[in-house]
Amino acid sequence: MHFDALTLACVTDELKRTLVGGRAQQILRLDETSIGLEIYAQHQRHYLLLAVDAQKSRVHLVTQKLRRGAEQPSPLLMLLRKYVRDSLLENVRQPEPTERVLHFHFVHNEHGPTTLVAEMLGQRSNLLLLNAEHKILDCLRRVWPGEKGERSLLPGQLYHPPLPQAKLAPIDDGSPDYYQRLAELTNLDGKLWKVLTNTVTGSSPTLAREVAWRVTGNLDAAAQEANVLALAQALQELWSPVVTGDWQPGIWLEETSSPALSKAEGVSDNPPVVGFSAYMAHVRGEFVPTASISAALEKFFTQVQPQKRSGSADTYASVRGQVSAELGRAKARILRQLAALAGDEPAPGASAQIRTQAEWLLALNTQIEPNQPLLEVDVGEDEPLKIILDPRKTPVEQAQQMFKTAAKWTRAAQIIPERRLKLQNDLEFLTQLGSDLALAENQPEIAAVREELHQGGFLAQPQKKIQKERVNQSVSQPLRFFSPQGFAILVGRNARQNEQVTFKLSNAEDLWLHVRGAPGAHVVIRSAGQKVSDETLQMAAQLAAYYSSLRGEKAAEVSITRRRFVTRVAGGRTGQVQLRHEDVMTVAAVLPTL
């Protein structure tokens, strides 16, 4: 997914509306390649993320307060705190709409004007702080003269912007031969999106595929299929918001079965966010509008690169993102299988109805005239039984085929509900694993999620690597707390630990807790049938709610029962249970005071 120049133009418009005129209050180093700013503007705090990672460079607002992730301040951070903290943000400017470069102009009462430059150029991404004379005070990534043919970027030097691309402008720039050059693109060999990426400035593969769809109706159409006027119009439509401000930001959801089917089957599912754009995109999936481009970017990157609970940068973002993608693909496959089952399932009573028709057709076959289209049989009801005759078959052949269909539908009526129940259990299990992944705090806990995916047959992986993960997994154990009464409270943090807490580490008279209607931890109060105080129950219920997908909610319902009333789901996956005789307690999904 590409944070391209058009996305940056949309972000620039948003930041101008929300941040200009605000004061920079805090500046944090989130990790080796990311800086966070807290800016107070329009009577509220805004949190701005500037990331110049080679793979995930971006600039956007986030909803959660940013936390320091790197312990040692960098030289650039020290200068930012001196020149930018407590300064006013005078302007946000994208010097060239087709380039991924953004300027933040600050004015400090003591130190005067400075410019923070964010260059989101893949491997050459950088953050630079410039003084009023446009000289570099410092930069995140220093570049010495002659280094890989790049610009020299060192403190004390005059800043030079990236060289402009020698490509065709995306919209008419007034050149007398603009349309001639655009027409020449449609004569080139290869896919249209690849041609546009190579020859039109500001065209990322993501944007170029959207142009291809708007021109031809096919994301992978050949360049020679394109009409030059349609191509010019598509480029104009996509780039015109740079002038008009008429953006349509949104996220892309992975293609799944229909929402109506999921609702009818009682399946709760959130398809993975697989992309974002500043325009209404035509993708293999669903485009969902968002309130702002920052909201779209945050939804995408929060999923791909989850944050730890403290809000600091996630050390395990890469491996967590890989497992998240595998989970998303597994859930999508199950939803497609559920949709296929719905298409194959016969209507109630359909097999009996077609069998009755076959029996009458066989009994009356000698009375049927050649080429007779319909057989009506008086069966003593208000309406006669009507059987449409197949002109390509004799009545006996048609009856035999109908008997086979009736037998097939009878088997389907037995097998499909069982298959659907298994798929629904699998979907619930994957939802639990998604919660486990989001709450995982270290490598072994992330590996445990992937191990469950592999053991459940949801992905294929070389056995050697899986065995290594199993060894690492043993480091991670259920949490143990002690209540004011002195009872041990056990908390499982993933499916495997839930199984362990419920069926190995507790006895029949212990109290068992779990958040209602959502994936989360199995929690056991090791009371052995003794009376448990309200204070202990409150503590255990809050732990169950906090270590669940409802974390942070003001009110979460928690089921409470004796452990003996908790049983495994027949044919279910690891940690899947059903319970009886539950009481319900409502608590805040926050950590209790321990």
Side-chain angles (χ1 to χ4, degrees):
M1 193 60 215
H2 304 90
F3 185 94
D4 54 27
L6 193 60
T7 304
L8 181 59
C10 186
V11 171
T12 304
D13 275 5
E14 180 186 351
L15 298 184
K16 284 182 176 179
R17 295 193 308 270
T18 56
L19 298 186
V20 169
R23 182 176 297 275
Q25 298 186 144
Q26 291 289 339
I27 303 175
L28 303 169
R29 186 186 184 199
L30 306 180
D31 58 33
E32 297 297 321
T33 58
S34 302
I35 295 291
L37 282 78
E38 181 185 292
I39 298 177
Y40 188 82
Q42 301 180 25
H43 308 292
Q44 62 177 311
R45 293 182 178 88
H46 302 271
Y47 305 106
L48 178 65
L49 170 68
L50 298 96
V52 289
D53 176 83
Q55 302 299 322
K56 299 182 179 68
S57 294
R58 64 200 187 276
V59 174
H60 61 90
L61 296 172
V62 297
T63 55
Q64 298 296 320
K65 185 175 181 178
L66 297 168
R67 304 286 185 183
R68 183 180 64 190
E71 291 297 327
Q72 296 297 325
S74 65
L76 176 63
L77 181 67
M78 298 296 288
L79 289 171
L80 286 170
R81 287 176 174 173
K82 177 181 179 180
Y83 291 97
V84 174
R85 187 165 58 186
D86 296 326
S87 65
L88 292 178
L89 179 58
E90 191 173 63
N91 193 18
V92 180
R93 186 171 66 92
Q94 185 183 13
E96 172 51 58
T98 59
E99 293 286 356
R100 292 170 292 168
V101 178
L102 191 60
H103 289 190
F104 296 85
H105 299 281
F106 293 94
V107 178
H108 195 280
N109 285 337
E110 180 181 354
H111 302 294
T114 55
T115 302
L116 177 60
V117 178
E119 296 183 347
M120 287 147 286
L121 306 173
Q123 298 290 338
R124 298 179 291 114
S125 296
N126 213 338
L127 286 174
L128 307 99
L129 183 62
L130 315 180
N131 64 13
E133 290 75 38
H134 240 49
K135 287 186 177 180
I136 301 173
L137 294 173
D138 209 342
C139 47
L140 191 67
R141 175 174 165 266
R142 297 181 180 183
V143 182
W144 276 261
E147 183 176 333
K148 298 179 182 179
E150 296 186 37
R151 296 166 294 154
S152 176
L153 299 172
L154 294 171
Q157 291 185 348
L158 190 66
Y159 170 74
H160 296 284
L163 292 174
Q165 301 179 61
K167 296 182 180 180
L168 185 66
I171 55 177
D172 189 355
D173 59 356
S175 302
D177 62 343
Y178 178 83
Y179 285 94
Q180 178 184 344
R181 294 171 63 194
L182 191 65
E184 290 172 357
L185 303 185
T186 63
N187 295 323
L188 298 177
D189 294 329
K191 295 181 178 180
L192 178 58
W193 71 266
K194 288 187 177 181
V195 169
L196 293 174
T197 302
N198 294 329
T199 59
V200 177
T201 185
S203 293
S204 67
T206 301
L207 178 62
R209 283 188 173 94
E210 175 64 19
V211 174
W213 192 95
R214 295 192 181 199
V215 173
T216 68
N218 181 0
L219 295 172
D220 294 312
Q224 295 176 0
E225 296 178 46
N227 176 278
V228 66
L229 293 180
L231 179 57
Q233 182 178 353
L235 289 168
Q236 174 72 30
E237 289 173 352
L238 287 166
W239 284 92
S240 62
V242 172
V243 177
T244 66
D246 188 20
W247 303 100
Q248 294 178 290
I251 55 174
W252 308 356
L253 300 182
E254 185 174 88
E255 186 177 11
T256 63
S257 59
S258 69
L261 171 63
S262 296
K263 185 175 181 181
E265 300 294 352
V267 176
S268 175
D269 184 73
N270 294 314
V273 179
V274 296
F276 56 84
S277 58
Y279 45 83
M280 188 171 67
H282 301 84
V283 296
R284 297 185 180 98
E286 180 183 3
F287 176 85
V288 179
T290 55
S292 66
I293 188 62
S294 285
L297 290 163
E298 186 175 23
K299 285 180 181 293
F300 176 80
F301 285 105
T302 297
Q303 176 176 269
V304 174
Q305 186 174 1
Q307 297 285 313
K308 296 168 74 175
R309 290 195 306 274
S310 65
S312 61
D314 185 1
T315 308
Y316 308 104
S318 177
V319 65
R320 196 191 302 268
Q322 292 173 10
V323 179
S324 177
E326 290 169 339
L327 269 170
R329 288 191 289 269
K331 292 175 82 170
R333 283 196 300 271
I334 290 177
L335 287 170
R336 287 194 294 268
Q337 291 170 6
L338 282 169
L341 284 183
D344 294 339
E345 187 172 20
S351 59
Q353 183 180 17
I354 195 171
R355 184 177 289 105
T356 298
Q357 291 182 0
E359 290 170 349
W360 279 110
L361 187 59
L362 199 58
L364 302 177
N365 77 89
T366 58
Q367 301 178 25
I368 298 173
E369 300 292 335
N371 299 321
Q372 182 177 331
L374 182 70
L375 174 64
E376 294 189 5
V377 182
D378 185 1
V379 291
E381 298 179 357
D382 294 338
E383 291 283 337
L385 176 65
K386 297 181 179 179
I387 305 172
I388 299 175
L389 301 176
D390 188 344
R392 298 167 298 178
K393 293 183 174 69
T394 67
V396 173
E397 290 173 340
Q398 184 175 347
Q400 291 172 341
Q401 181 61 49
M402 294 171 77
F403 279 125
K404 290 180 181 178
T405 301
K408 177 183 175 182
W409 286 357
T410 299
R411 290 192 301 272
Q414 296 171 345
I415 295 172
I416 287 179
E418 296 175 0
R419 175 62 176 159
R420 179 186 295 113
L421 180 60
K422 182 181 183 304
L423 288 172
Q424 289 175 343
N425 285 339
D426 286 352
L427 200 59
E428 291 176 5
F429 179 65
L430 291 174
T431 302
Q432 173 67 52
L433 291 184
S435 176
D436 296 347
L437 181 64
L439 300 177
E441 297 180 341
N442 51 47
Q443 184 80 17
E445 291 176 7
I446 296 173
V449 175
R450 202 167 196 279
E451 168 73 0
E452 292 299 333
L453 280 172
H454 183 268
Q455 288 193 351
F458 297 108
L459 58 87
Q461 183 180 355
Q463 189 66 21
K464 188 177 294 185
K465 187 172 182 180
I466 285 294
Q467 288 174 348
K468 182 178 178 181
E469 289 185 348
R470 286 183 185 141
V471 173
N472 291 337
Q473 182 187 339
S474 63
V475 178
S476 181
Q477 297 294 328
L479 296 176
R480 182 183 294 265
F481 302 90
F482 287 93
S483 76
Q485 285 180 276
F487 291 136
I489 300 176
L490 306 180
V491 180
R493 288 174 291 167
N494 55 48
R496 184 64 58 182
Q497 290 183 17
N498 284 346
E499 182 87 10
Q500 186 179 5
V501 163
T502 300
F503 297 111
K504 292 184 179 180
L505 300 179
S506 61
N507 64 45
E509 295 306 313
D510 288 341
L511 284 180
W512 184 93
L513 302 89
H514 190 280
V515 70
R516 294 189 84 199
H522 291 195
V523 175
V524 166
I525 304 174
R526 295 292 305 275
S527 60
Q530 299 179 57
K531 185 176 180 180
V532 174
S533 68
D534 291 343
E535 191 175 10
T536 295
L537 271 180
Q538 175 79 18
M539 177 180 175
Q542 282 189 237
L543 287 169
Y546 181 76
Y547 288 100
S548 78
S549 62
L550 299 184
R551 175 179 292 183
E553 294 290 331
K554 294 181 179 179
E557 291 186 338
V558 177
S559 297
I560 307 170
T561 190
R562 293 288 176 188
R563 156 62 189 86
R564 58 191 169 93
F565 296 127
V566 181
T567 57
R568 291 183 175 89
V569 171
R573 301 283 185 174
T574 305
Q576 287 191 303
V577 298
Q578 54 193 9
L579 61 147
R580 297 173 289 127
H581 307 305
E582 65 174 326
D583 293 321
V584 178
M585 185 175 186
T586 302
V587 296
V590 297
L591 271 179
T593 302
L594 304 176

